[in-house]
């Protein structure tokens, strides 16, 4: 007995002669995104089906009623033949082709004007070593080779960093106060120097 294979989706036709109309409300072109409509060739107009999110031709362009062609939800020849509920759905042409082009150009300009926001990561501050860590380094035996010298340099660096962390705020506040000159200590205007030549035996009053 030969094994039966499941039917696959058919290729979507451009034109159909069926008189069936979907029970869903009609699609208004003005309510769809302009980039989801392609009216460059009005006789071969297509749009994205809102139900299966795939491009679907519009049939009956020259007829009284325009609607989406009957189509499957999957890819032709590959996916399962499942009929999309948006088949034969009526289309309302509530916008002209120039209006669609203008809306499409506005959407393109808005997309091009967007710029990604670069987030600068906040630098992480190195925490000050704990007292127990410094005490542990002091208790380590000092070797006579290069390792001992490196450990000693590291210990001195840790001690300096801890000392600066404790006094950094006070030092900065003192420097800020020194930079300010109190109003009471502003030097007064010096008295003018006499330019008249003093005669012998006379003193300047």
């Amino acid at each position: 007995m030969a094994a039966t294979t499941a039917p696959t989706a058919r290729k979507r036709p451009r034109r159909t002669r069926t008189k069936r109309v979907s029970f869903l409300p009609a699609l208004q072109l003005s309510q769809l995104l302009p980039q989801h409509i392609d009216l460059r060739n009005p006789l071969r107009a297509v749009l994205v089906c809102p139900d299966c999110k795939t491009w679907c031709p519009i049939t009956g362009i020259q007829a009284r009623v325009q609607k989406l062609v009957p189509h499957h939800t999957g890819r032709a020849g590959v996916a399962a033949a499942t009929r999309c509920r948006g088949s034969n759905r009526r289309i309302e042409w509530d916008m002209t082709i120039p209006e669609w082009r203008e809306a499409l150009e506005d959407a393109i300009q808005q997309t091009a004007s967007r710029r990604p926001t670069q987030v600068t990561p906040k630098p992480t501050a190195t925490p000050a070593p704990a007292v127990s860590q410094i005490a542990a380094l002091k208790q380590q035996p000092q070797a006579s080779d290069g390792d001992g010298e490196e450990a000693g340099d590291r210990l001195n660096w840790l001690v300096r960093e801890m000392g600066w962390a404790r006094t950094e705020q006070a030092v900065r506040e003192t420097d800020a106060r020194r930079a300010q000159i109190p109003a009471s200590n502003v030097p007064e205007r010096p008295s003018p120097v006499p330019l008249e030549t003093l005669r012998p035996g006379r003193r300047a009053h």
Side-chain angles (χ1 to χ4, degrees):
M1 183 177 180
T4 58
T5 58
T8 57
R10 295 180 181 180
K11 184 179 179 180
R12 301 178 183 183
R14 284 285 175 180
R15 299 177 182 178
T16 59
R17 296 182 180 180
T18 178
K19 295 183 179 180
R20 296 180 180 178
V21 179
S22 175
F23 64 92
L24 297 176
L27 287 175
Q28 297 180 357
L29 295 183
S30 60
Q31 301 299 324
L32 301 177
L33 296 176
Q35 57 268 29
H36 288 178
I37 308 172
D38 189 357
L39 303 180
R40 291 174 295 179
N41 187 356
L43 297 179
R44 301 175 66 90
V46 294
L47 57 81
V48 175
C49 177
D51 297 293
C52 60
K53 308 301 181 183
T54 55
W55 289 95
C56 183
I58 301 176
T59 186
I61 297 297
Q62 297 178 342
R64 185 177 60 180
V65 178
Q66 293 82 33
K67 54 188 177 180
L68 295 179
V69 299
H71 59 280
H72 294 152
T73 58
R75 186 178 177 183
V78 178
T82 303
R83 179 63 62 91
C84 177
R85 64 192 298 265
S87 299
N88 298 319
R89 190 170 182 179
R90 292 185 299 109
I91 305 296
E92 289 187 1
W93 292 75
D94 58 344
M95 66 185 309
T96 61
I97 295 180
E99 292 175 350
W100 166 75
R101 292 184 180 274
E102 183 178 358
L104 182 61
E105 292 177 358
D106 294 342
I108 293 175
Q109 293 179 0
Q110 292 179 4
T111 304
S113 62
R114 297 172 184 173
R115 293 292 183 271
T117 304
Q118 184 178 1
V119 180
T120 304
K122 183 178 180 180
T124 57
T126 304
V131 179
S132 58
Q133 296 177 352
I134 297 179
L137 289 176
K138 288 183 178 181
Q139 295 177 0
Q140 292 181 358
Q142 299 293 336
S144 58
D145 54 0
D147 295 340
E149 296 178 358
E150 183 179 356
D153 295 341
R154 184 181 179 186
L155 176 61
N156 295 333
W157 176 82
L158 291 175
V159 173
R160 289 195 302 269
E161 288 295 325
M162 287 194 63
W164 172 247
R166 290 194 301 266
T167 59
E168 178 181 6
Q169 186 65 24
V171 171
R172 295 187 184 278
E173 293 177 356
T174 302
D175 293 341
R177 288 195 299 268
R178 290 177 178 175
Q180 299 176 359
I181 301 177
S184 59
N185 293 340
V186 177
E188 299 179 355
R189 185 177 180 181
S191 57
V193 178
L195 302 179
E196 183 181 0
T197 305
L198 298 178
R199 297 179 180 179
R202 297 185 61 182
R203 295 183 180 178
H205 297 285

